[in-house]
Coordinates of all heavy atoms in Angstrom, one line a residue:
Q103 N 99.1 94.5 86.4 CA 99.6 93.5 85.4 C 100.0 92.2 86.0 O 100.6 91.4 85.3 CB 100.7 94.1 84.6 CG 100.3 95.4 83.7 CD 101.5 96.1 83.1 OE1 102.3 96.6 83.9 NE2 101.6 96.0 81.8
V104 N 99.7 92.0 87.3 CA 100.1 90.8 88.0 C 98.9 90.1 88.5 O 98.0 90.8 89.2 CB 101.1 91.1 89.2 CG1 101.4 89.9 89.9 CG2 102.3 91.8 88.7
A105 N 98.7 88.9 88.3 CA 97.6 88.1 88.8 C 98.1 87.4 90.1 O 99.1 86.7 90.1 CB 97.1 87.1 87.8
I106 N 97.3 87.6 91.2 CA 97.6 86.9 92.4 C 96.6 85.8 92.7 O 95.4 86.1 92.7 CB 97.7 87.9 93.6 CG1 98.8 88.9 93.3 CG2 97.9 87.2 94.9 CD1 99.0 90.0 94.3
L107 N 97.1 84.6 92.9 CA 96.2 83.5 93.1 C 96.3 83.0 94.6 O 97.4 83.0 95.2 CB 96.5 82.3 92.2 CG 96.8 82.7 90.7 CD1 97.1 81.4 89.9 CD2 95.6 83.3 90.1
L108 N 95.3 82.5 95.1 CA 95.3 81.8 96.4 C 94.7 80.4 96.1 O 93.6 80.2 95.8 CB 94.4 82.5 97.4 CG 94.4 82.0 98.8 CD1 95.8 82.2 99.4 CD2 93.4 82.8 99.7
D109 N 95.6 79.4 96.3 CA 95.3 78.0 95.9 C 94.8 77.9 94.5 O 93.8 77.2 94.2 CB 94.3 77.4 96.9 CG 95.0 76.8 98.1 OD1 96.2 76.7 98.1 OD2 94.3 76.4 99.1
G110 N 95.4 78.7 93.6 CA 95.0 78.6 92.2 C 93.8 79.5 91.8 O 93.5 79.6 90.6
V111 N 93.2 80.2 92.7 CA 92.0 81.0 92.4 C 92.4 82.5 92.4 O 93.1 83.0 93.3 CB 90.9 80.8 93.5 CG1 89.7 81.7 93.2 CG2 90.5 79.3 93.5
N112 N 92.1 83.2 91.3 CA 92.4 84.6 91.2 C 91.7 85.4 92.3 O 90.5 85.3 92.4 CB 92.0 85.1 89.8 CG 92.7 86.3 89.4 OD1 92.8 87.3 90.2 ND2 93.2 86.4 88.1
V113 N 92.5 86.2 93.0 CA 91.9 87.0 94.1 C 92.2 88.5 93.7 O 93.2 88.8 93.2 CB 92.4 86.7 95.5 CG1 91.9 85.4 96.0 CG2 94.0 86.7 95.5
N114 N 91.2 89.3 93.9 CA 91.4 90.8 93.6 C 90.5 91.6 94.5 O 89.6 91.1 95.1 CB 91.1 91.0 92.1 CG 89.8 90.5 91.6 OD1 88.8 91.0 92.1 ND2 89.8 89.5 90.7
D115 N 90.7 92.9 94.4 CA 89.9 93.8 95.2 C 89.2 94.8 94.3 O 89.8 95.8 93.8 CB 90.8 94.6 96.2 CG 90.1 95.6 97.0 OD1 88.8 95.7 96.9 OD2 90.7 96.3 97.9
P116 N 87.9 94.6 93.9 CA 87.3 95.5 93.0 C 87.1 96.9 93.5 O 86.7 97.8 92.7 CB 85.9 94.8 92.8 CG 85.7 94.0 94.0 CD 87.1 93.5 94.4
S117 N 87.3 97.1 94.8 CA 87.1 98.5 95.4 C 88.3 99.3 95.2 O 88.2 100.5 95.4 CB 86.7 98.4 96.9 OG 87.8 97.9 97.6
S118 N 89.5 98.7 94.9 CA 90.7 99.5 94.8 C 90.8 100.0 93.3 O 90.3 99.4 92.4 CB 91.9 98.7 95.2 OG 92.2 97.6 94.2
F119 N 91.6 101.0 93.1 CA 91.7 101.6 91.8 C 92.4 100.7 90.8 O 92.1 100.6 89.7 CB 92.5 102.9 91.9 CG 92.2 103.8 90.6 CD1 91.1 104.5 90.5 CD2 93.2 103.8 89.6 CE1 90.9 105.3 89.4 CE2 93.0 104.6 88.5 CZ 91.8 105.3 88.3
N120 N 93.4 99.9 91.3 CA 94.1 99.0 90.4 C 93.5 97.6 90.5 O 93.9 96.7 89.7 CB 95.6 98.9 90.8 CG 96.4 100.1 90.4 OD1 96.2 100.6 89.3 ND2 97.2 100.6 91.3
G121 N 92.5 97.3 91.4 CA 92.0 96.0 91.5 C 92.9 95.0 92.1 O 92.6 93.8 92.0
D122 N 94.0 95.4 92.7 CA 95.0 94.5 93.2 C 94.7 93.9 94.6 O 94.0 94.5 95.3 CB 96.4 95.1 93.1 CG 96.4 96.4 93.8 OD1 95.4 97.1 94.0 OD2 97.5 96.9 94.2
F123 N 95.3 92.8 94.9 CA 95.1 92.1 96.1 C 96.2 92.5 97.1 O 97.4 92.6 96.7 CB 95.1 90.6 95.9 CG 94.9 89.8 97.2 CD1 93.7 89.7 97.8 CD2 96.0 89.2 97.8 CE1 93.5 89.0 99.0 CE2 95.9 88.5 99.0 CZ 94.6 88.4 99.6
D124 N 95.9 92.7 98.3 CA 96.9 93.1 99.3 C 97.5 91.9 100.0 O 96.9 91.2 100.7 CB 96.3 94.0 100.4 CG 97.3 94.7 101.3 OD1 98.4 94.2 101.4 OD2 96.9 95.7 101.9
L125 N 98.8 91.6 99.6 CA 99.5 90.4 100.1 C 99.8 90.4 101.6 O 100.2 89.4 102.2 CB 100.8 90.2 99.3 CG 100.6 89.6 97.9 CD1 101.9 89.7 97.1 CD2 100.1 88.2 98.0
R126 N 99.6 91.6 102.2 CA 99.7 91.6 103.7 C 98.6 90.8 104.4 O 98.7 90.5 105.6 CB 99.7 93.1 104.2 CG 101.0 93.8 103.8 CD 100.8 95.3 104.2 NE 99.8 95.9 103.4 CZ 99.6 97.3 103.3 NH1 100.5 98.1 103.9 NH2 98.7 97.8 102.6
Q127 N 97.6 90.5 103.6 CA 96.4 89.8 104.2 C 96.7 88.3 104.5 O 95.9 87.7 105.2 CB 95.2 89.9 103.3 CG 94.8 91.3 102.9 CD 93.9 91.9 104.0 OE1 93.9 91.5 105.1 NE2 93.3 93.0 103.6
I128 N 97.8 87.8 104.0 CA 98.1 86.4 104.2 C 99.4 86.2 105.0 O 100.4 86.8 104.7 CB 98.3 85.7 102.8 CG1 97.1 85.9 101.9 CG2 98.6 84.2 103.0 CD1 97.2 85.4 100.5
D129 N 99.3 85.4 106.1 CA 100.4 85.1 107.0 C 101.3 84.0 106.4 O 100.8 83.0 105.9 CB 99.9 84.7 108.3 CG 101.0 84.3 109.3 OD1 102.0 85.0 109.3 OD2 100.8 83.4 110.1
I130 N 102.6 84.2 106.4 CA 103.5 83.2 105.8 C 103.4 81.9 106.5 O 103.6 80.8 105.9 CB 105.0 83.8 105.9 CG1 105.9 82.9 105.1 CG2 105.4 83.9 107.3 CD1 105.7 82.9 103.6
N131 N 103.0 81.8 107.7 CA 102.9 80.5 108.4 C 101.7 79.7 107.9 O 101.6 78.5 108.3 CB 102.7 80.8 110.0 CG 104.0 81.3 110.6 OD1 105.0 80.6 110.7 ND2 104.0 82.6 111.0
Q132 N 100.8 80.3 107.1 CA 99.7 79.5 106.5 C 100.1 79.0 105.1 O 99.2 78.3 104.5 CB 98.5 80.5 106.4 CG 98.0 81.0 107.7 CD 97.0 82.2 107.6 OE1 96.7 82.6 106.5 NE2 96.6 82.8 108.7
V133 N 101.3 79.2 104.7 CA 101.6 78.9 103.3 C 102.5 77.7 103.2 O 103.5 77.5 104.0 CB 102.4 80.2 102.7 CG1 102.8 79.9 101.3 CG2 101.5 81.4 102.7
E134 N 102.2 76.8 102.3 CA 103.0 75.6 102.0 C 104.1 76.0 101.0 O 105.3 75.6 101.3 CB 102.1 74.5 101.4 CG 102.9 73.3 101.0 CD 103.4 72.5 102.2 OE1 102.8 72.6 103.3 OE2 104.4 71.8 102.0
K135 N 103.8 76.7 99.9 CA 104.8 77.1 99.0 C 104.3 78.2 98.1 O 103.0 78.4 98.1 CB 105.4 76.0 98.1 CG 104.4 75.4 97.2 CD 105.1 74.3 96.3 CE 104.1 73.8 95.3 NZ 104.7 72.8 94.3
I136 N 105.1 78.9 97.4 CA 104.7 80.0 96.5 C 105.4 79.7 95.1 O 106.6 79.4 95.0 CB 105.1 81.3 97.0 CG1 104.6 81.6 98.4 CG2 104.7 82.4 96.0 CD1 105.1 82.9 99.0
E137 N 104.6 79.7 94.1 CA 105.1 79.6 92.7 C 104.9 80.9 92.0 O 103.9 81.6 92.0 CB 104.4 78.5 92.0 CG 104.7 77.1 92.5 CD 104.0 76.0 91.8 OE1 103.3 76.3 90.8 OE2 104.2 74.8 92.1
V138 N 106.0 81.3 91.3 CA 106.0 82.6 90.5 C 106.2 82.2 89.0 O 107.2 81.7 88.7 CB 107.0 83.6 91.0 CG1 107.0 84.9 90.2 CG2 106.9 83.9 92.5
L139 N 105.2 82.5 88.2 CA 105.2 82.2 86.8 C 105.4 83.5 86.1 O 104.5 84.4 86.2 CB 104.0 81.5 86.4 CG 103.8 81.2 84.9 CD1 104.9 80.3 84.3 CD2 102.4 80.6 84.6
K140 N 106.4 83.7 85.3 CA 106.6 85.0 84.6 C 106.0 85.0 83.2 O 105.8 83.9 82.6 CB 108.1 85.2 84.4 CG 108.9 85.1 85.7 CD 108.7 86.3 86.6 CE 109.6 86.3 87.8 NZ 111.0 86.2 87.4
G141 N 105.7 86.2 82.7 CA 105.2 86.3 81.3 C 103.7 86.3 81.2 O 103.0 86.1 82.2
A142 N 103.2 86.6 80.0 CA 101.7 86.7 79.8 C 101.1 85.3 80.0 O 101.5 84.3 79.4 CB 101.4 87.2 78.4
S143 N 100.1 85.2 80.9 CA 99.5 83.9 81.2 C 97.9 84.1 81.3 O 97.3 83.4 82.0 CB 100.0 83.4 82.5 OG 101.4 83.2 82.5
S144 N 97.4 85.0 80.5 CA 95.9 85.2 80.5 C 95.1 84.0 80.0 O 94.0 83.9 80.3 CB 95.6 86.5 79.7 OG 95.8 87.6 80.5
T145 N 95.8 83.2 79.1 CA 95.0 82.0 78.6 C 94.5 81.2 79.8 O 93.4 80.7 79.7 CB 96.0 81.2 77.7 OG1 96.3 81.9 76.6 CG2 95.3 79.9 77.3
L146 N 95.3 81.0 80.8 CA 94.9 80.2 81.9 C 94.3 81.0 83.1 O 93.4 80.5 83.8 CB 96.1 79.4 82.5 CG 96.6 78.2 81.6 CD1 97.8 77.5 82.3 CD2 95.5 77.2 81.4
Y147 N 94.7 82.2 83.2 CA 94.3 83.0 84.4 C 93.6 84.3 84.2 O 93.3 85.0 85.1 CB 95.6 83.2 85.3 CG 96.2 81.9 85.8 CD1 97.4 81.4 85.3 CD2 95.5 81.1 86.7 CE1 97.9 80.2 85.7 CE2 96.0 79.9 87.2 CZ 97.2 79.4 86.7 OH 97.7 78.2 87.1

Side-chain angles (χ1 to χ4, degrees):
Q103 297 171 294
V104 179
I106 297 177
L107 316 178
L108 188 61
D109 274 349
V111 176
N112 199 316
V113 290
N114 53 65
D115 178 1
S117 69
S118 70
F119 197 81
N120 286 316
D122 52 338
F123 178 79
D124 192 337
L125 282 170
R126 288 172 296 193
Q127 304 280 14
I128 304 175
D129 176 38
I130 189 64
N131 291 291
Q132 300 167 2
V133 177
E134 178 67 27
K135 68 175 181 176
I136 303 171
E137 294 183 355
V138 182
L139 174 66
K140 306 290 186 57
S143 301
S144 281
T145 296
L146 288 179
Y147 295 108

